[in-house]
Amino acid sequence: MTLRCLAIDDEPLALKQLVAYISKVQFLELAAQCQSALEAREFLENDTVDAIFCDINMPDLNGMDFVKSLAVPPLVVFTTAYSEYAVEGFRVNAVDYLLKPFGFQEFQRAAQRLLERKMVVSPLPFPKEEADTLFLKTDNRIVNVNISDIRYIEAMSEYLKVWLDSQPKPVITLLSMKKIEERLPNNFMRIHRSYIINLTKIQEVNKNRVVMDADTYLPIGDLYKDAFQKYISTKFLSR
């Protein structure tokens, strides 16, 4: 199992050491390194990670408040020079708390705790071609979503809104567009940075917009326009 992780520290030397430690642990994969919590938040708007190594005492937004602001935070290891944050760190369900300066052995133990926690909570994979449902985590529940019931998927900050035919409100889950794309069949297509649609649910194509229903007009992004037009041309009937 590989854990994609995010390293966050406003001190360049501390961040460099953190990145070096991550590279030495076989099951850790560095997704990005950030010098502020605001930069990390921007990254998580379009991607997800399994874990974050996060400093606490940072300008603009401290690490503790950053983690609390996430709808569904990933696994967290706090790194800081201030021991008084330790109790509060565990209150937000941090996996570990590393007090600076810490060595590689301490870091390695924290990484192992991350792996053990991840192995407990991760679902078993199943082949895409056999899947007709998705299990999505929303709030404190895991819901079973029929793939054929999905009309479209909307990216919002660090989470997704999965809009269904069977209910007026979307299922909201912490997941990246890339991850859910990997689990969807061929009748789904990404038409915009923020939208994946079920092609069988299209009612109309109007200029640079896709009409899913009377109230839903989704834009077609420039990067996705050619692929979408090629799909339409394969289905288009004329005299």
Side-chain angles (χ1 to χ4, degrees):
M1 177 180 288
T2 300
L3 303 184
R4 296 184 75 244
C5 57
L6 185 62
I8 311 167
D9 201 305
D10 65 311
E11 299 176 8
L13 291 178
L15 183 59
K16 183 178 180 180
Q17 182 189 58
L18 190 55
V19 169
Y21 284 171
I22 289 171
S23 69
K24 293 180 180 180
V25 179
Q26 187 176 9
F27 57 81
L28 294 182
E29 174 190 332
L30 181 67
Q33 51 181 300
C34 303
Q35 288 191 278
S36 72
L38 296 179
E39 185 182 345
R41 177 185 283 174
E42 183 177 350
F43 173 82
L44 291 175
E45 288 179 357
N46 299 299
D47 208 338
T48 60
V49 294
D50 300 300
I52 58 176
F53 293 90
C54 186
D55 187 21
I56 294 179
N57 193 24
M58 294 185 289
D60 297 325
L61 178 64
N62 72 53
M64 194 72 66
D65 290 338
F66 164 65
V67 170
K68 290 177 181 178
S69 73
L70 298 177
V72 184
L75 301 175
V76 180
V77 172
F78 284 117
T79 65
T80 183
Y82 300 91
S83 59
E84 61 266 26
Y85 287 116
V87 173
E88 188 177 359
F90 287 114
R91 283 176 179 166
V92 296
N93 203 29
V95 174
D96 211 340
Y97 182 98
L98 293 172
L99 187 61
K100 297 178 181 177
F102 53 87
F104 179 64
Q105 286 188 341
E106 294 170 277
F107 177 86
Q108 201 170 23
R109 284 194 293 269
Q112 185 62 38
R113 292 188 182 104
L114 284 174
L115 181 62
E116 291 168 358
R117 181 78 68 87
K118 183 66 176 178
M119 290 177 70
V120 170
V121 301
S122 292
L124 294 174
F126 60 95
K128 176 181 174 179
E129 61 270 19
E130 295 180 7
D132 55 6
T133 62
L134 295 174
F135 286 92
L136 300 176
K137 184 175 181 181
T138 178
D139 297 324
N140 294 317
R141 302 177 296 125
I142 296 176
V143 297
N144 187 1
V145 173
N146 194 312
I147 290 177
S148 63
D149 192 30
I150 299 173
R151 282 195 297 135
Y152 68 95
I153 298 162
E154 179 181 6
M156 296 290 289
S157 188
E158 71 272 10
Y159 55 90
L160 300 180
K161 290 183 176 181
V162 181
W163 294 89
L164 307 174
D165 280 337
S166 60
Q167 62 185 56
K169 292 184 178 181
V171 174
I172 300 175
T173 184
L174 179 67
L175 201 62
S176 69
M177 294 288 268
K178 180 181 178 181
K179 287 291 185 183
I180 203 165
E181 272 187 292
E182 293 172 353
R183 300 293 293 275
L184 293 171
N186 293 333
N187 59 298
F188 284 82
M189 179 179 287
R190 191 165 184 174
I191 62 165
H192 188 274
R193 181 181 180 184
S194 300
Y195 295 103
I196 297 171
I197 63 170
N198 185 337
L199 296 166
T200 66
K201 308 284 186 179
I202 296 174
Q203 290 190 1
E204 183 180 324
V205 180
N206 188 339
K207 296 182 179 179
N208 290 325
R209 299 186 301 177
V210 174
V211 181
M212 303 302 290
D213 56 52
D215 300 314
T216 307
Y217 295 74
L218 305 181
I220 304 170
D222 291 339
L223 292 176
Y224 307 92
K225 188 179 299 183
D226 288 346
F228 181 71
Q229 288 178 343
K230 285 179 182 178
Y231 166 78
I232 292 297
S233 68
T234 65
K235 303 293 182 181
F236 187 74
L237 294 179
S238 61
R239 294 181 61 182

